[in-house]
Structure formats: C-alpha cells, structure tokens
Amino acid sequence: MPKSQVQRDQFGGLLRTLRLERRLTQEELAEAAGSSVRGIREMERGRVRSPQRRTVVLLADALRLAGADRDRFVALARVERQPHDRGAVPDDRAAVPDDRVAVPDDRAEVPDDRVPVPHDRPAVVVPGELPTAVPDLAGRAEILERLSALAADVTAGRPDTASVVVLHGPPGIGKTSLAVVAGHRLSPAFAGGQLFVDLQGVSPDGPVDPAEALAGLLRSLGVPDNRVPVSLAERGGLFRTLTRDRPLLVVLDNAASEAQVRPLLPAGRGCLALVTCRRPLTGLAGAVRLPLDLLTPAAGRLLLAAIVGADRIAAEPVAADQLVKLCGRLPLAVRIAGNRLASRPQWSVGWLVDLLHDQRQRLTALTAGDLGVRSAFEVSYRQLDPMTARVFRRASLIPGTDFEPALVAAVAGTAVETAAAALEELVEAGVLLTLGDRYQFHDLVRLYAQERLDAEEQQDCRTRAHDQMVGWLLRRTRQAGLMFEPVACRVDSPFDDDRVAAHWLDRESGNWLAALRDAARRGRHADVVAVTRALHWYSDANSHRHSWDEIFSLGVAAARAAGSPRDEAVLLNFLGWARYFCRDRNTDGLAALDRALELARLIGDRREEAWALTYTAAIFIRIGSGVLAVDHCRRAVGLFREIGYALGENGAASVQGGALAALGRFAEAADLHRDVLAFYGHGSGLSRTGAVVARAGAMMSLGADLAGMGQWRAAADEYAHARRLFHRCGATFSEANAIHRYGLALQALGEVDAAAEALGSALALYAALSCPWWEAQTLYALAALAGSAADGAADARQLRERALDRCGELDAPEVRTLRATLRRELAEF
C-alpha cells in the first residue's frame, strides 16, 4: 500500500477515534467545523485526497485539540502530492471552502450585496414541485389546521411569526405524506411557487450536500446552469436574494441536520419552510417543532377504510381494530396492511390479523411492493455507531414497556453514562421514544431490534446479556425492598431512603416482576426467596398496586423447591395476607395460613406461628367469626410477647381490637387501638413509610371504634387524618378506604353533599386499582344517598345495578349478603 494511503488511513482512524471520545456525531462535528457530513464520513474512511490545511485546522479546533495532540493530528493529515496526483481535483465537498466562502450561520443573515447576481436576471419562474399528495391521509387534521394558521400569519406579514416548521418523528410516522398534503393545501397562499427537495438525510449514500441542493433550487427559480455560482456561500446569497421579495413555500424533506437545512431557508418574510426530519433539529433557532404521534385507533380505521373500502372494514370491525393495534398504529404499517388487503380481495381482515399475530413474521408481512416497515428501520440502524447499535439490539431483551439507562447498561454490558448517551442518540435517530428520563420502543421497532440481535449476536452472548439483566434486576429489587424493613440492611444500597426505593419499585415493576418470573422458571430458588421476602414491608404500603398473590406464590414454590420450611412458612403467611386483603379471596387465604401455621409449629417457629394466627383472625373478622378472631389474637399476642417482638405484639393487638369491635365491644377496642397508636408514634423500629402507614392504620381502627359508639364527628376526624397520612406515603388503597369511611361518617352526620363527594372520590380510586368488592360497597352507599333525594330514585336504581355488577362472582359471606340485598331492593323498586 502506498505510504500516502497508509497516512490517510491513519488520519481517518484518528479522526474517528477523537470524534467518538468527545461523543460527537458526524453531523455535530461537521456543523462545529463548518464542513459537510459527507466530507467527514469520507475523511474517516480514508477516501479524501489531501484535505486542505484550513479544513484540518477547523477540525482540530472543533475537537478541542492542543499541544502535541494537535501537532500529531495536523501532521497525519499532511500528505505530499505524488507527481501523478498533481492534476487531481480534491473533492470540494469533503473540505471546508477557503476564506472567501463562509457557510452562513443563521438564516436571518443579511444577504451579501457583493454576491454576483446576473445582470440579465432570469425570467420569473413560478415553480410547482410538490409531489402528488396521498389521497387518504388520516388523523392529522389538527396539525394541518395549525399549519394553515401559521401560513396565514406568514403571508399576512405578522411580526414574530415563525417561518420554519419542523415535522419530526420516527420512521414510518408519515412525515413526508403530511408535508406534501400540507404543501398542496397551503400552495394558494404562496404565489411565488412551491419548491420541494428530498435531502436524503437517511440515504445509505449520505445526505445531499447543501451546495447541490441550492443549485437545484436556483435552477427551479429560473437561474441557468451557467449562472449558478460555484461556492456554497455564493449560491446561498443568490438564493436569499431571489426569495427576499416573493412568497414562497419550500418543503425540505428528509433532512439530516441543522447544518444541511440552514443554507436552504428562504429569506423573505412571506416565505414558509416545511422541514421533515427524524430528529427535532433543536439547533434551528425560532423554528416551530411539531412532533407526529401514532394514529389513534379511530384514525387507523379511517385510513384502512380509505384504502380497502369502508364496507369491507365495517364488515369486520373487531378485526380492523386488531389490525391497527398489530400495526402499532404506525401510519406506514397501517398503509401497507391496507395495500395488502386491497390487492387481495379474497383475504378477510381477520386472515391478515392472524398472519400478523406471529411476531416472527410480522415485519415480513408488513411489506407491499417497495414499501416495507423493516426497510424504514434498516436505514436508521445502519447509520448507528457500533456501541449505539449494540445498545439498540440488547435493549430489546428488556421485558417491560419502558426502561432506565441503568438497566440498559446492565443488559448491554457497559457504563451507565455510555448507555445514556447511546439512548439519546437512538431518540435523535427516531428509533426510540423518550418518556422524560425513561425510554420506550415502538412495538414494531422492538421486533426489528430483536431481529438484529438474533442475526448479529451469538446465542451465548444473548444468553449472557439476558442473565446479566435478570441478575441486576433481582439485586436492585431486593435492595429496594430492604429499605422498608424495620431494621433494614442498607449497606451499599443505591437508594437514599424508602421513598426513593418505592419510586424505583413502582416504575420498574414491569421489569422486576418479569425478572422474578424468569428466575422462577430457571430454578433460581434462592434468588426468588430472597427477593420475595424482601418485598413484604413494601407490600404493606402498596397492597393493591402489584400482583402480590402471584409474587408470594412464586416465593412459596421456590422455598419449597429449595427445601426451606422456614422460608416457606414466612412466605405462606405473606401469601395468605395477599389473598384475603388484596384479592378478597378469604377461603384461599385461610388455606395458605393453615399451611403456614402447620409448618411453623412443626419447626418450632413461634414468630411465624403468631403471624399465622394474626392473619387468620383478620379473616375471621371478615366472615363474622368474632369470637374465634379474639381467641386467635390473644394467643398471637402471647407468643409475640414471649419472644420479645413488640412490633408483632402490637400488630396482633390491633387485629384483636378489630375483633372486639366486631362483637360490639367498642370501648375495649378503642382502648387497645389507642395503645397501638401510641406505640407506632414512639420508635416502633419501622421504616419511615412503614411507620406512617401503621399509624394511619391504627387511626382507621380507632375511627371505626368511635363510629360504633356513635361518635361520628370524632370518627370523621380520625379518618380524615388517616387519609392525609396514606396520601403522603402513596398508599392508594388505604387512602381510598379512609375516604370511603369518612364519607360514611359524614352521611351519618347528615352532611349529604359532602358525603356524596367523598364517596365519589373513593369510588374513583377503587376503580383505578380494580377493587370490585370495594367498588360495590361504595356504589351501594351512594345509592342510599341518591335514594334519599326527592328525585333520586332513578339514580339510586342505576347505582344499585352497578353495585350488583361489581359483586360479580366473588364468593364470601359479606359479598353474598350484599348481593342478596341488592337483588331484593331492585326487585322492590
């Protein structure tokens, strides 16, 4: 290989290394150095002959090089021309022009009067270059109306009106279709003509050079070839001169970067530029940015009907909705699906739905002619640097719908900072969605990323990445759960306190629960037991937020498989609690607690025996066995006292108070609950959140005692205080319960309007948590309030019908009682 080629290769490699070290994209480096993206790309590939010294100096400045590093960089670029090279012409696009040609920094720059304008000005040409518009655009009426209003402001010459609009979004979202339709709609307002340029921002051959694009624009405006200036600056100056006084619409489609777009913006105040790009082009000052969203289900159906025919879609409405959903509500995918159906009249919509249900074939099925979802994603993927591409592929292993950079770092095997930078690059490339500090795949993009993962990484690498992710999630989940322990082991914990831990557990629930299931399937019994045990105290404050019956069932099975009866007894107690308290499945709860009690006695674990008795007593209260409940609680209190476990003793005492109240012994119950409340208020050893939840729970119990004694105002005050505490620590179900009881207390006090408002608030929270039994009780209370009004009979009947529906198939004595009452009252209505 000739020495000069070796040097060029060395320079290109060094240039790329320095750019990546500074976390610059080729577009960002090109903009900072005043070069073109294609020029940077060609230099990094070693294809540019003798880059000009000024180009190298500007690159060194952009890369912030100094001292020996700068000298080495400049020296590597200095290549002596060989005799046979003297006639070669350097690629002007790869280098920054000399000092006489400066790339304009801002579209508002005043045109240089020295730019040579032909004396024989071209005849006025009114171009109309917009491509044919699609006849079936759907779901973009709001954006089209906004564009019409902007165009009206521009052509009216209103001050402070933006004259550049960036339509941005992921591949296949319909940016070009929208821009063309908008262009045709707005064209009457721009008598100077309509220009259209495909800037090929994601083309495998690289984006169009701004100088080339300007030459085409000048020709469209009537400038002969021999009058088109040579340099970028002169072409830009002439373009601004020619557009200064004419109302012109310019559509710049498929832009790559701000640097590519800036020289192409017309200068006239009556001009409007529509730019489409996968990136938001945040560097364009003063531009209006309109992100394009996915189609609504209704808009998706309309698009299908426009392509396939309204009758055909109306004949299979459910299948049509499924088809739009399987297309991810992506306009390109919906259009392709519609085209496939239109070209195959013998197909039913349901047949195509069945075809798309196979995830392995979905991207292949979403291809029609030269339209393809996979190819749209492919273009963006091939432009990613290796690390970003790896992050893109590996992130498809994450099971949840969204994720944080730290989890991506775990699955990609890289630093969090590197993962975060790669994720932002993927957002910029339009293949990843951002949700604040979290990220999300579009369904079809995830399938494409999984395809690339399977195609480009060996099975052992994929397995190792998956196991890294699962292990990281299990460790982090256990660490978060331990923050709620009464005596938490918080050594090297990544969480500052239990509130931070709760926030993480809530946001990552889709990921850590999937990891827990995966660990259970793979026989990682010790991990499953450790995680499920660590989550117990967190579950107290978040009783209806997660599927605790499933979670603790996984723990019980793992403990049994591992041969650990002590862990099994602990987790059976947790499971019994989850079944009765979270799912209102009293019989199933008793079955788990009976097994816990049996195991605890077998191994001599008095603490778990006492907890089993306490939880069983709570179910006895629910099913009307108050005497048995009191007996169980007294035995539990005694066991806890024997082993010196004050926290358990007060927990059992609180349930004992509830059992006494169920027997009508309200004064005794109130005395017990006041003692428990005092305990939780003075150093119970619970975490901060746990202590607040426990205190609020004791207030609820005391409120019930006061209500039983007819002291409704005092009861309402306790419920109101408990509600505030539950709200403060995010215990939503308990908050709803407090509001519910507060509403009943107000009802007893005759404050009907305030009671109805409180019960309505409780109903909304119960519905959000999907608590049908509690919804039924609240609806029944609201029906009683409505029935007391002179004209409320119809409303009361409707509320009773809704309550009966929410009782559903639940099977418990209290549910059966309410169901019978509702049926009787509806029959008598």
Side-chain angles (χ1 to χ4, degrees):
M1 181 182 293
K3 179 181 178 183
S4 60
Q5 181 64 45
V6 173
Q7 288 178 304
R8 284 199 297 272
D9 286 348
Q10 290 174 336
F11 174 72
L14 178 60
L15 175 61
R16 185 175 186 279
T17 298
L18 292 169
R19 175 176 64 78
L20 292 177
E21 286 178 353
R22 284 150 180 78
R23 297 181 180 175
L24 295 172
T25 64
Q26 291 177 335
E27 290 83 359
E28 290 168 340
L29 179 57
E31 184 173 2
S35 185
S36 67
V37 177
R38 181 175 294 180
I40 299 294
R41 183 181 300 117
E42 295 300 292
M43 278 186 274
E44 288 188 353
R45 292 174 177 173
R47 296 178 180 175
V48 174
R49 290 174 177 267
S50 304
Q52 296 181 15
R53 176 176 176 78
R54 176 173 172 76
T55 300
V56 177
V57 169
L58 289 173
L59 285 170
D61 291 340
L63 293 167
R64 301 185 302 280
L65 296 177
D69 291 338
R70 185 183 184 93
D71 293 340
R72 176 170 176 256
F73 181 81
V74 174
L76 278 175
R78 189 181 301 119
V79 180
E80 293 186 4
R81 292 182 179 271
Q82 301 299 319
H84 61 274
D85 286 335
R86 290 178 180 173
V89 179
D91 185 350
D92 289 335
R93 293 173 300 175
V96 176
D98 60 25
D99 292 340
R100 295 172 296 169
V101 182
V103 178
D105 289 328
D106 196 301
R107 69 175 301 272
E109 177 186 14
V110 178
D112 189 345
D113 292 335
R114 294 174 295 172
V115 172
V117 179
H119 293 295
D120 50 341
R121 283 181 175 271
V124 176
V125 175
V126 181
E129 298 183 344
L130 295 173
T132 302
V134 295
D136 44 27
L137 191 72
R140 304 304 186 200
E142 184 177 342
I143 292 183
L144 285 170
E145 290 176 5
R146 185 168 181 186
L147 290 173
S148 296
L150 276 170
D153 289 344
V154 167
T155 54
R158 291 189 175 89
D160 301 325
T161 298
S163 56
V164 180
V165 178
V166 180
L167 303 173
H168 63 94
I173 201 69
K175 300 180 291 293
T176 299
S177 296
L178 175 60
V180 172
V181 168
H184 282 284
R185 177 177 292 194
L186 303 178
S187 59
F190 296 95
Q194 304 86 43
L195 299 172
F196 182 90
V197 184
D198 182 359
L199 295 174
Q200 300 179 29
V202 291
S203 169
D205 297 327
V208 173
D209 189 278
E212 295 177 12
L214 275 170
L217 290 171
L218 291 172
R219 294 186 191 100
S220 297
L221 293 175
V223 179
D225 285 348
N226 61 348
R227 297 288 188 173
V228 174
V230 174
S231 72
L232 174 65
E234 290 175 330
R235 289 177 181 180
L238 179 56
F239 179 66
R240 291 192 296 276
T241 298
L242 295 178
T243 59
R244 185 165 47 194
D245 299 318
R246 64 188 298 174
L248 193 69
L249 175 67
V250 180
V251 178
L252 303 173
D253 187 39
N254 200 8
S257 65
E258 295 89 341
Q260 185 192 32
V261 168
R262 284 194 187 101
L264 312 180
L265 300 176
R269 292 186 61 182
C271 297
L272 179 66
L274 294 181
V275 185
T276 72
C277 187
R278 297 186 179 185
R279 304 169 183 267
L281 298 181
T282 53
L284 283 182
V288 172
R289 291 169 184 83
L290 300 178
L292 270 62
D293 293 327
L294 299 171
L295 296 174
T296 64
R301 288 194 301 272
L302 286 174
L303 180 54
L304 278 178
I307 299 171
V308 178
D311 292 342
R312 197 169 166 191
I313 297 303
E316 298 181 80
V318 175
D321 287 344
Q322 290 177 330
L323 183 58
V324 172
K325 183 177 180 180
L326 288 169
C327 290
R329 298 189 285 122
L330 189 71
L332 174 62
V334 176
R335 187 176 298 281
I336 290 171
N339 288 347
R340 295 205 71 182
L341 288 172
S343 64
R344 294 166 176 81
Q346 73 278 13
W347 283 11
S348 68
V349 179
W351 193 92
L352 183 55
V353 166
D354 291 340
L355 182 63
L356 294 181
H357 267 303
D358 185 351
Q359 292 188 358
R360 297 167 300 177
Q361 299 298 322
R362 191 176 303 170
L363 294 182
T364 299
L366 289 174
T367 303
D370 62 350
L371 287 179
V373 172
R374 181 186 284 111
S375 58
F377 301 151
E378 183 83 15
V379 172
S380 290
Y381 177 72
R382 293 305 174 193
Q383 294 184 338
L384 302 176
D385 63 71
M387 176 53 73
T388 304
R390 179 183 182 183
V391 166
F392 175 74
R393 295 190 303 269
R394 296 279 185 91
S396 69
L397 289 169
I398 297 173
T401 56
D402 54 78
F403 40 84
E404 63 175 348
L407 179 54
V408 175
V411 74
T414 188
V416 176
E417 295 78 10
T418 303
L423 290 168
E424 284 300 309
E425 178 61 25
L426 291 170
V427 171
E428 284 288 301
V431 293
L432 204 62
L433 306 174
T434 181
L435 304 167
D437 59 345
R438 297 180 70 77
Y439 301 86
Q440 184 177 44
F441 276 115
H442 182 274
D443 291 346
L444 297 178
V445 177
R446 180 189 287 273
L447 291 179
Y448 175 75
Q450 290 170 346
E451 282 189 355
R452 298 320 315 154
L453 180 67
D454 292 341
E456 298 183 29
E457 300 199 31
Q458 297 294 324
Q459 179 62 52
D460 61 335
C461 293
R462 301 198 300 270
T463 301
R464 186 163 54 251
H466 174 272
D467 291 347
Q468 287 172 182
M469 173 191 68
V470 169
W472 185 89
L473 281 167
L474 294 178
R475 287 191 301 275
R476 189 62 62 95
T477 303
R478 183 171 181 271
Q479 290 169 329
L482 288 175
M483 296 301 293
F484 294 84
E485 286 285 334
V487 182
C489 178
R490 302 180 184 181
V491 178
D492 297 327
S493 174
F495 303 103
D496 293 334
D497 55 36
D498 52 7
R499 293 184 184 180
V500 177
H503 184 63
W504 186 89
L505 286 165
D506 290 346
R507 297 211 301 173
E508 291 292 344
S509 60
N511 291 316
W512 62 253
L513 181 53
L516 190 65
R517 291 168 179 154
D518 183 90
R521 284 194 302 270
R522 291 170 175 259
R524 298 174 63 168
H525 305 311
D527 288 336
V528 174
V529 168
V531 170
T532 52
R533 287 199 59 166
L535 288 170
H536 167 58
W537 289 100
Y538 166 73
S539 71
D540 263 5
N542 298 274
S543 56
H544 289 66
R545 189 165 297 165
H546 307 295
S547 53
W548 294 114
D549 51 342
E550 178 195 2
I551 292 167
F552 293 136
S553 290
L554 292 174
V556 168
R560 188 174 298 142
S564 176
R566 189 174 302 278
D567 287 322
E568 187 179 351
V570 170
L571 288 159
L572 279 166
N573 273 327
F574 297 169
L575 178 60
W577 166 83
R579 285 177 174 174
Y580 87 80
F581 190 78
C582 304
R583 290 290 182 263
D584 299 304
R585 292 162 47 195
N586 297 330
T587 302
D588 292 339
L590 283 173
L593 294 169
D594 285 346
R595 176 59 181 157
L597 185 60
E598 178 185 353
L599 269 178
R601 287 172 173 169
L602 182 66
I603 63 177
D605 190 330
R606 289 184 293 171
R607 174 165 160 167
E608 292 311 314
E609 179 184 353
W611 278 124
L613 290 168
T614 303
Y615 290 137
T616 300
I619 297 179
F620 284 160
I621 295 171
R622 285 188 165 204
I623 62 177
S625 300
V627 174
L628 280 175
V630 169
D631 177 65
H632 275 60
C633 286
R634 283 175 176 162
R635 289 157 58 196
V637 167
L639 285 170
F640 282 130
R641 191 171 293 157
E642 285 178 20
I643 62 176
Y645 187 40
L647 186 58
E649 180 182 345
N650 279 272
S654 182
V655 176
Q656 182 179 356
L660 291 171
L663 295 173
R665 296 159 61 178
F666 298 112
E668 293 176 68
D671 289 340
L672 267 178
H673 288 138
R674 287 189 181 98
D675 290 342
V676 171
L677 186 58
F679 169 78
Y680 287 133
H682 299 90
S684 64
L686 288 167
S687 68
R688 180 169 57 182
T689 299
V692 172
V693 171
R695 282 179 57 218
M699 290 174 187
M700 291 284 288
S701 298
L702 179 57
D705 302 334
L706 295 169
M709 291 185 285
Q711 300 177 28
W712 290 106
R713 181 61 63 190
D717 291 343
E718 294 293 338
Y719 294 144
H721 193 182
R723 172 192 182 178
R724 290 191 292 272
L725 292 179
F726 284 135
H727 180 78
R728 192 172 80 192
C729 60
T732 308
F733 171 78
S734 297
E735 179 187 357
N737 206 233
I739 300 171
H740 181 184
R741 295 194 187 186
Y742 177 69
L744 295 178
L746 294 179
Q747 181 182 11
L749 289 166
E751 299 176 17
V752 176
D753 291 341
E757 181 181 356
L759 290 170
S761 298
L763 180 64
L765 290 177
Y766 285 142
L769 293 169
S770 188
C771 301
W773 167 233
W774 291 96
E775 289 178 65
Q777 294 179 82
T778 311
L779 286 164
Y780 184 59
L782 284 167
L785 287 173
S788 65
D791 56 350
D795 289 341
R797 179 178 179 84
Q798 184 183 52
L799 288 164
R800 287 187 177 94
E801 288 173 344
R802 289 174 59 192
L804 183 61
D805 175 71
R806 297 313 290 151
C807 285
E809 301 300 320
L810 294 173
D811 186 23
E814 63 269 34
V815 182
R816 291 194 294 270
T817 300
L818 179 59
R819 187 185 291 119
T821 301
L822 287 166
R823 285 173 175 165
R824 184 184 68 252
E825 291 179 355
L826 286 169
E828 295 172 352
F829 188 82

